[in-house]
Amino acid sequence: TMPSIFSYQSAEVDWCESNFERSTVIAEYYNTVSAGASEGQAGARRQPAPGTRELLWLSLLLAGIFSMYFHMTLSYVGQLLDELSILWTLAVAYSFWYPRVYFPRFIKSRKHFFWLSGITTVISTLMSFIKPAFNAYVLNCIAFHLLYLTWRELKKCNDKRVHRMAAVMVGWWVLAISSWISDRWLCGLWQAINFPYFHSFWHVLIAMSLLYCCPLVIYFDVNYEMPSFKPKLGYWPSDSWPVVVPYVALEKPHKQC
């Protein structure tokens, strides 16, 4: 008989970490714990649009919870929830923040773009059931489009602080994707030396990359959508601290006579 889609280890994907090594309830202990990093990132978002904040916060929170559930059970349902929550979080971010200057020519308004994003996401959701093991690779490829958009925006910007934040974001992403690929393709090596934890590193490192990515995207969005304000990137509690939380401050320019 076919195993239940809710059963432990019914997923098509099993990461490098040994299963049930540290707990009889949690399949991948360190992957489950590290997945909570994305939940922590959900509380660090600051945005100029009030309605966007709650929706994106909820999307990130659900992505973190579903990721923890997947690594705890390695179930088929957990795998799909993990991947689809990421897909829908990206859809929310694209819908609200994708610059109008990059809209396809047949899209005349943000409302039309919402519909395009929604239809595309629904189709992608249905296609994800065809071969779930392939979903993670497709989702990671979206990062290349985000990097391309960042490069396009940096060409228009002379603010050294913006370029610095983008460089830090890319640095964290390179470390994150390297960890993900290492866990996926070099598992035999890491198990041989008893260090199969690179997917848990991925969780933490991609959360760090997002910590810098979101303020950067908001900065560009304010330039397009709120031209009466001047956005400024900052770091809390101070630029000089080794561990900081980046944010966007809005400065309304003085009227010129």
Side-chain angles (χ1 to χ4, degrees):
T1 59
M2 290 290 291
S4 169
I5 58 176
F6 292 95
S7 298
Y8 272 69
Q9 296 180 284
S10 58
E12 291 189 357
V13 176
D14 190 354
W15 298 97
C16 197
E17 183 181 353
S18 299
N19 298 332
F20 304 105
E21 187 174 59
R22 295 186 175 274
S23 172
T24 57
V25 177
I26 301 175
E28 296 176 341
Y29 182 83
Y30 289 107
N31 286 348
T32 302
V33 172
S34 62
S38 55
E39 286 189 62
Q41 293 300 310
R45 302 290 174 258
R46 296 189 179 193
Q47 303 158 66
T52 314
R53 181 177 60 249
E54 289 77 13
L55 184 57
L56 187 63
W57 182 88
L58 178 61
S59 299
L60 287 167
L61 180 65
L62 289 176
I65 292 173
F66 290 148
S67 181
M68 292 178 69
Y69 172 70
F70 167 50
H71 289 292
M72 183 180 74
T73 64
L74 291 179
S75 65
Y76 180 80
V77 167
Q79 179 186 347
L80 288 176
L81 288 175
D82 179 26
E83 293 163 349
L84 293 180
S85 64
I86 297 173
L87 173 64
W88 281 86
T89 298
L90 288 169
V92 170
Y94 266 77
S95 297
F96 283 103
W97 286 339
Y98 193 74
R100 294 173 187 267
V101 295
Y102 301 127
F103 282 3
R105 291 186 177 181
F106 61 89
I107 298 296
K108 303 301 181 183
S109 67
R110 177 70 62 178
K111 183 178 179 180
H112 291 164
F113 187 73
F114 283 162
W115 279 102
L116 176 64
S117 300
I119 293 171
T120 302
T121 305
V122 170
I123 294 174
S124 300
T125 298
L126 296 175
M127 292 179 63
S128 68
F129 288 86
I130 298 175
K131 186 62 178 176
F134 190 62
N135 295 342
Y137 293 94
V138 176
L139 289 172
N140 274 313
C141 286
I142 297 176
F144 292 104
H145 183 247
L146 293 173
L147 292 173
Y148 169 73
L149 290 177
T150 302
W151 173 73
R152 290 282 300 270
E153 290 300 313
L154 290 177
K155 289 176 65 178
K156 309 174 188 177
C157 177
N158 296 320
D159 190 332
K160 292 183 179 180
R161 184 175 288 251
V162 176
H163 283 259
R164 173 192 168 195
M165 187 171 288
V168 174
M169 176 196 74
V170 173
W172 284 116
W173 176 80
V174 169
L175 291 174
I177 195 64
S178 298
S179 298
W180 191 91
I181 293 173
S182 293
D183 189 274
R184 187 78 274 172
W185 295 352
L186 301 176
C187 180
L189 171 62
W190 307 130
Q191 288 183 339
I193 63 175
N194 197 29
F195 197 78
Y197 306 117
F198 278 90
H199 192 75
S200 62
F201 291 170
W202 149 262
H203 287 150
V204 177
L205 293 169
I206 198 63
M208 291 301 299
S209 183
L210 286 173
L211 185 66
Y212 288 84
C213 177
C214 287
L216 201 61
V217 171
I218 295 169
Y219 176 90
F220 295 136
D221 182 67
V222 171
N223 280 329
Y224 283 115
E225 303 294 335
M226 304 174 68
S228 61
F229 288 87
K230 182 181 178 182
K232 181 181 179 181
L233 293 176
Y235 297 94
W236 181 87
S238 171
D239 288 18
S240 60
W241 282 47
V243 179
V244 296
V245 176
Y247 65 91
V248 179
L250 299 183
E251 298 179 351
K252 194 167 185 178
H254 296 293
K255 293 183 178 180
Q256 297 182 356
C257 298

